[in-house]
Amino acid sequence: MSKTIAILAPGAMGSAVARRLGENGARVLTSLKGRSEATLKRAADAGMIGAEDDAIAEADIILSIVPPGEAVALAERLAALIVRRAKKPVVVDCNAVNVDTVQRIEEIIGSAQAPFVDGGIIGFPPQRGGKSPAFYMSGEHAGEVAVLKDLGLDVRIVEGPVGAASALKMSYAGIVKGLAGIGSAMVIAATKAGAADALRDELALSQPAILARLEVALPDMIPKAYRWVAEMREISGFLGDDHPASQIYEGFARWFEHLAEDANGEAVDAELMKAFAASVAQKKT
């Protein structure tokens, strides 16, 4: 297998993954049609090569790394490109989608007779000299992307069919981002009621690990909240409409939607979250 990888799209995660692959000898393609100047620069800095659709379809592996709400549409676009090819790329969906969604994507890619792998990314975008996030892979073709491990990615096979890796991602994100949702909501409520310092001091005494996590998570989540909206709805769908907890994640979706709007507007709640995190750091000095 040659080392031509296509990554769609060149966002924060996709471009960082591209840089890591390029550092280890891969040729990384992407689509830059209609992209912003900031995206063009990010792709160039990562060493990504802008390519036409025909070249994308000729890659050995295609990694789909987009917001979850765009995953199905991208799969349909890729299937239309691949169906005419005699040589099929391995398509890996790396998005935060639920089991039903990824199985639908498998059907779309399968209609083009291309091998499909269910992927889930856990961790932050790789930085220069740092470790790779974990790329969990499942499905009968998961072994066909082992070359990604040789190219610098932390690939971990989940035994099970398509859906197993996505189930892991949904469960993990539901815990980690759910805790961030609870923490941010309660910090803002406590602050508006005049109890921020008391909450901070009680957490420091009885729940120091939670307080340490909030110190980092609160400011970190502000620019990411918009991306978490669709992911929370995927987690709600993962639980299923009849599950009593599914509405919790629908609530988180609405909460993150509010935080995203707040961050792009007057940033009232964003400033409260930052102030709480800063007070935690100051209290330690």
Side-chain angles (χ1 to χ4, degrees), residues 123-125 127 176-177 180 184 212-228 256 259 263 270 273-275 277-278:
F124 296 106
Q127 302 298 317
V176 173
K177 292 171 183 173
S184 57
R213 185 168 190 87
L214 289 176
E215 180 186 358
V216 175
L218 292 178
D220 182 64
M221 69 187 290
I222 293 167
K224 300 177 181 177
Y226 79 97
R227 290 195 279 120
W228 292 2
F256 292 138
L259 290 179
M273 290 163 62
K274 291 177 184 177

Coordinates of all heavy atoms in Angstrom, one line a residue, residues 123-125 127 176-177 180 184 212-228 256 259 263 270 273-275 277-278:
G123 N -9.2 12.2 22.4 CA -8.0 13.0 22.7 C -7.9 14.3 21.9 O -8.8 14.5 21.0
F124 N -6.9 15.0 22.2 CA -6.7 16.3 21.5 C -6.0 16.2 20.2 O -5.2 15.2 20.0 CB -6.0 17.3 22.4 CG -6.8 17.6 23.7 CD1 -6.4 17.1 24.9 CD2 -7.9 18.5 23.6 CE1 -7.1 17.4 26.1 CE2 -8.6 18.8 24.8 CZ -8.2 18.2 26.0
P125 N -6.1 17.2 19.3 CA -5.3 17.1 18.1 C -3.8 16.9 18.4 O -3.3 17.5 19.3 CB -5.5 18.5 17.4 CG -6.9 18.9 17.9 CD -6.9 18.4 19.3
Q127 N 0.1 17.5 18.6 CA 1.0 18.6 18.5 C 2.3 18.1 18.1 O 2.7 17.0 18.4 CB 1.0 19.4 19.8 CG -0.4 19.9 20.3 CD -1.0 20.9 19.3 OE1 -0.3 21.8 18.8 NE2 -2.3 20.7 19.1
V176 N -17.4 12.6 29.6 CA -16.5 13.7 29.7 C -17.2 15.0 29.5 O -17.1 16.0 30.2 CB -15.3 13.5 28.8 CG1 -14.4 14.7 28.8 CG2 -14.5 12.3 29.3
K177 N -17.9 15.1 28.3 CA -18.5 16.4 28.0 C -19.8 16.6 28.8 O -20.2 17.8 29.0 CB -18.8 16.4 26.5 CG -17.5 16.5 25.7 CD -17.6 16.4 24.2 CE -16.2 16.4 23.6 NZ -16.3 16.1 22.1
A180 N -18.6 18.3 31.8 CA -18.3 19.7 31.5 C -19.6 20.5 31.4 O -19.7 21.6 31.9 CB -17.6 19.8 30.2
S184 N -20.3 23.5 34.0 CA -20.5 24.9 33.6 C -21.8 25.4 33.9 O -21.9 26.6 34.4 CB -20.3 24.9 32.0 OG -21.2 24.1 31.4
A212 N -10.2 20.7 39.9 CA -9.1 20.8 39.0 C -9.5 20.7 37.6 O -9.0 21.3 36.7 CB -8.0 19.8 39.4
R213 N -10.5 19.8 37.4 CA -10.9 19.6 36.0 C -11.7 20.8 35.5 O -11.5 21.2 34.3 CB -11.8 18.3 35.9 CG -12.3 18.0 34.5 CD -12.9 16.7 34.4 NE -13.1 16.3 33.0 CZ -12.2 15.7 32.2 NH1 -11.0 15.4 32.8 NH2 -12.4 15.5 31.0
L214 N -12.5 21.4 36.3 CA -13.3 22.6 35.9 C -12.3 23.8 35.6 O -12.6 24.6 34.7 CB -14.3 23.0 37.0 CG -15.5 22.1 37.2 CD1 -16.3 22.5 38.4 CD2 -16.3 22.0 36.0
E215 N -11.3 23.9 36.4 CA -10.3 25.0 36.2 C -9.8 25.0 34.7 O -9.7 26.0 34.1 CB -9.1 24.9 37.1 CG -8.1 25.9 36.9 CD -6.9 25.7 37.8 OE1 -6.8 24.7 38.6 OE2 -5.9 26.5 37.7
V216 N -9.6 23.8 34.2 CA -9.1 23.7 32.8 C -10.3 23.6 31.8 O -10.3 24.3 30.8 CB -8.3 22.4 32.6 CG1 -7.9 22.2 31.2 CG2 -7.1 22.4 33.5
A217 N -11.4 22.9 32.1 CA -12.5 22.7 31.2 C -13.3 23.9 30.9 O -13.7 24.1 29.8 CB -13.3 21.5 31.7
L218 N -13.5 24.7 31.9 CA -14.4 25.9 31.7 C -14.0 26.8 30.6 O -14.7 27.1 29.7 CB -14.7 26.6 33.0 CG -15.5 25.8 34.1 CD1 -15.6 26.6 35.3 CD2 -16.9 25.4 33.5
P219 N -12.7 27.3 30.7 CA -12.3 28.2 29.6 C -12.1 27.5 28.3 O -12.3 28.0 27.2 CB -11.0 28.8 30.1 CG -10.5 27.9 31.2 CD -11.7 27.3 31.8
D220 N -11.7 26.2 28.4 CA -11.4 25.4 27.2 C -12.6 25.2 26.3 O -12.5 25.1 25.1 CB -10.7 24.1 27.6 CG -10.3 23.3 26.4 OD1 -9.4 23.7 25.6 OD2 -10.8 22.2 26.2
M221 N -13.8 25.0 27.0 CA -15.0 24.6 26.3 C -15.6 25.7 25.5 O -16.4 25.5 24.6 CB -16.0 23.9 27.2 CG -16.6 24.9 28.2 SD -17.6 24.0 29.5 CE -19.0 23.5 28.5
I222 N -15.3 27.0 25.9 CA -16.0 28.1 25.3 C -15.9 28.2 23.8 O -16.9 28.3 23.1 CB -15.5 29.5 26.0 CG1 -15.9 29.5 27.4 CG2 -16.1 30.7 25.2 CD1 -15.2 30.6 28.2
P223 N -14.7 28.1 23.2 CA -14.7 28.1 21.7 C -15.1 26.8 21.1 O -15.3 26.8 19.9 CB -13.2 28.4 21.5 CG -12.5 27.8 22.6 CD -13.4 28.1 23.8
K224 N -15.3 25.8 21.9 CA -15.7 24.5 21.3 C -17.2 24.2 21.4 O -17.7 23.2 20.8 CB -14.9 23.3 22.0 CG -13.4 23.4 21.9 CD -12.8 22.3 22.7 CE -11.3 22.4 22.6 NZ -10.6 21.4 23.5
A225 N -17.9 25.0 22.2 CA -19.3 24.7 22.5 C -20.2 24.4 21.2 O -21.0 23.5 21.2 CB -19.9 25.8 23.3
Y226 N -19.9 25.2 20.2 CA -20.7 25.1 19.0 C -20.5 23.7 18.3 O -21.5 23.2 17.7 CB -20.4 26.2 18.0 CG -19.1 26.0 17.2 CD1 -19.1 25.5 15.9 CD2 -17.8 26.3 17.7 CE1 -18.0 25.2 15.2 CE2 -16.7 26.1 17.0 CZ -16.7 25.5 15.7 OH -15.6 25.3 15.1
R227 N -19.3 23.1 18.5 CA -19.1 21.8 17.9 C -19.7 20.7 18.7 O -19.9 19.6 18.2 CB -17.6 21.6 17.7 CG -16.9 22.5 16.7 CD -15.6 22.0 16.3 NE -14.5 22.4 17.2 CZ -13.7 21.6 17.9 NH1 -13.9 20.3 17.8 NH2 -12.8 22.0 18.7
W228 N -20.0 21.0 19.9 CA -20.6 19.9 20.8 C -22.1 19.8 20.7 O -22.6 18.8 21.2 CB -20.2 20.2 22.2 CG -18.7 20.1 22.5 CD1 -17.7 19.8 21.6 CD2 -18.1 20.3 23.8 NE1 -16.5 19.8 22.3 CE2 -16.7 20.1 23.6 CE3 -18.5 20.6 25.1 CZ2 -15.8 20.2 24.6 CZ3 -17.6 20.7 26.1 CH2 -16.2 20.5 25.9
F256 N -25.2 23.9 25.3 CA -24.0 24.3 24.5 C -24.3 25.2 23.4 O -23.5 26.1 23.0 CB -23.3 23.0 23.9 CG -22.7 22.1 25.0 CD1 -22.8 20.7 25.0 CD2 -22.0 22.7 26.1 CE1 -22.2 19.9 25.9 CE2 -21.4 21.9 27.1 CZ -21.5 20.5 27.0
L259 N -24.3 28.5 25.0 CA -22.9 29.0 25.3 C -22.2 29.5 24.0 O -21.5 30.4 24.0 CB -22.1 27.9 26.0 CG -22.5 27.5 27.4 CD1 -21.6 26.4 27.9 CD2 -22.4 28.7 28.3
A263 N -20.9 33.2 23.5 CA -19.5 33.5 23.2 C -19.4 34.4 22.0 O -18.4 35.2 21.9 CB -18.7 32.2 23.0
A270 N -19.7 33.4 29.3 CA -18.3 33.0 29.1 C -17.4 33.7 30.0 O -16.4 33.1 30.6 CB -17.9 33.3 27.6
M273 N -17.6 32.0 33.5 CA -16.8 30.8 33.5 C -15.3 31.0 33.6 O -14.6 30.4 34.4 CB -17.1 29.9 32.2 CG -18.5 29.4 32.2 SD -19.1 28.9 30.6 CE -17.9 27.6 30.2
K274 N -14.8 32.0 32.8 CA -13.4 32.3 32.9 C -13.0 32.9 34.3 O -12.0 32.5 34.8 CB -13.1 33.4 31.8 CG -13.1 32.8 30.4 CD -12.8 34.0 29.4 CE -12.9 33.5 28.0 NZ -12.7 34.7 27.1
A275 N -13.9 33.7 34.9 CA -13.6 34.3 36.2 C -13.6 33.2 37.2 O -12.7 33.2 38.1 CB -14.7 35.3 36.5
A277 N -12.8 30.0 36.8 CA -11.5 29.2 36.6 C -10.3 30.0 37.1 O -9.4 29.5 37.7 CB -11.3 28.9 35.1
A278 N -10.3 31.4 36.8 CA -9.2 32.2 37.3 C -9.2 32.3 38.8 O -8.1 32.3 39.4 CB -9.4 33.6 36.7

